[in-house]
Structure formats: structure tokens, C-alpha cells
Amino acid sequence: MNQLIIILFSAILVNNVVLNQFLGICPFLGVSKKLDSSFGMSVAVTFVLLIATAVTWPIYTFILEPSGFKYMQTVVFILVIAALVQLVEIILKRYLPALHRSLGVYLPLITTNCAVLGVTIQNIDKGYSFLQSLVYALGIGLGFMLAMVLFSGVRQRIESADIPQFFKGMPSVLIAASLVSLSFMGFSGVVEGIFG
């Protein structure tokens, strides 16, 4: 149980998928303008992460590895993730059309979100069990949500700030993202120190 807590909080704070591993930067920079769309994207990504992990781990463990097709891992994982994203898009379009419209083009981009593929591959590379993989995926999703929500607040402040003309737009956003990323470096060693 202690190990699961360490995996969860390490994924959220120490190994944050966006601010530490620099995966999933496209939706981080593209959708973080508004809090509601940031939260909606984060929930969709977390859902896809959990379902993708729940599907890809058994496929790798019980099909690809025993039959000697480990080299097909990336291709199979991409196909599974693409199918799951299509499922999420259909569900959002049917039941939450306002969120579907606000996410726009970024929802199909979850398919190419390297965070989702990265997590499914990291679960295998780290040798996690099925339960550990699900906890790790949940932690990565919650860390993604934390980064998105925090950064949407930062971006709202940037938009209302009086900054020099040549810093307006993406330059100020990238500088702010690097500063938020630096702040997360302070969590290194804290999780293991508390729970270890």
C-alpha cells in the first residue's frame, strides 16, 4: 500500500508528465487559456490514460511478450489509444456537446498526445504490476490536471498583465511555463522522504 502511495504522489508531483517529463506539451500550451477547458481536457486525458493502461498492459503481458512480438508494442499501443480517443470523442459529442466544442481540435490530438503513449510504455519499462500501472496512470492524469489548472490561472494573469509588446503572446507563455516547471523541481525527494 505504501508503494502505491509513493507511485501516485511521485507521478503527480515529482515526475509530473508535463512539467518534469515534458510530455503532453501541445494540449498544455493550447488548451490552458481557460479553466473549464483545461479541466475538461485533463479529465478526458486521465480517462484515456486509465483505459489505455487497463487495455495495453494485459495485451503486452499476455499476448505480445509471450508470443515474441515485443517489438510491436508501440504500434499496438498507438492503435489502442487511437480507438479509445475516438470513443471518448463520441461520448463527449453525444453527452457533453459544450465541452466537446470548447476542446475543439485538441480532443482528437489526445491520440497523438505523447503523454498517453509515454505512460503506457513507462508502465512496461518500469515493470509495474497491473494495479501499480493503473495507480501510475491515475497519478500522471492527476499531475496533468494539476499542471493544466495551475497554468490556466497563470495564463489568465499573464493576459491581464502589462508586459512589453515583444513578450506578449507565446513568449510570455513559454517563460511562465518554464517558471512553473522550475517550481515543481522543489518536490524532488519530498515524496520519498514523507512516505518512504
Side-chain angles (χ1 to χ4, degrees):
M1 184 63 173
N2 211 18
Q3 187 179 17
L4 294 178
I5 293 172
I6 291 173
I7 290 172
L8 179 70
F9 283 102
S10 291
I12 295 171
L13 299 173
V14 179
N15 297 320
N16 187 285
V17 70
V18 176
L19 301 173
N20 187 305
Q21 298 179 39
F22 305 109
L23 299 174
I25 297 293
C26 176
F28 177 71
L29 295 176
V31 183
S32 62
K33 291 179 184 175
K34 295 181 182 174
L35 180 61
D36 57 342
S37 58
S38 295
F39 183 75
M41 173 61 93
S42 300
V43 170
V45 167
T46 303
F47 178 75
V48 170
L49 279 168
L50 285 168
I51 300 300
T53 297
V55 173
T56 56
W57 191 91
I59 288 174
Y60 181 84
T61 304
F62 300 119
I63 298 172
L64 296 179
E65 189 175 35
S67 61
F69 288 114
K70 288 197 246 183
Y71 60 90
M72 293 294 292
Q73 168 188 0
T74 304
V75 173
V76 171
F77 287 10
I78 288 172
L79 291 173
V80 168
I81 291 165
L84 291 171
V85 170
Q86 289 302 311
L87 177 68
V88 169
E89 187 171 9
I90 290 168
I91 291 169
L92 285 180
K93 191 173 187 178
R94 171 98 173 136
Y95 297 107
L96 299 168
L99 178 60
H100 183 265
R101 279 191 305 276
S102 74
L103 292 177
V105 71
Y106 294 102
L107 186 59
L109 286 178
I110 295 176
T111 303
T112 58
N113 186 340
C114 52
V116 179
L117 179 62
V119 168
T120 57
I121 291 174
Q122 286 174 3
N123 284 327
I124 302 302
D125 290 345
K126 293 181 180 201
Y128 285 156
S129 68
F130 184 71
L131 181 59
Q132 289 173 329
S133 295
L134 287 176
V135 169
Y136 184 69
L138 176 64
I140 290 294
L142 293 175
F144 184 81
M145 183 181 296
L146 177 66
M148 290 284 285
V149 168
L150 283 175
F151 199 61
S152 70
V154 169
R155 284 192 73 170
Q156 287 175 358
R157 294 291 302 254
I158 289 172
E159 302 222 354
S160 64
D162 183 27
I163 55 176
Q165 184 64 32
F166 55 88
F167 275 124
K168 289 191 185 231
M170 197 49 71
S172 62
V173 170
L174 292 173
I175 290 169
S178 65
L179 292 173
V180 172
S181 177
L182 275 172
S183 68
F184 269 69
M185 290 180 67
F187 291 115
S188 297
V190 171
V191 174
E192 288 83 4
I194 293 173
F195 298 107

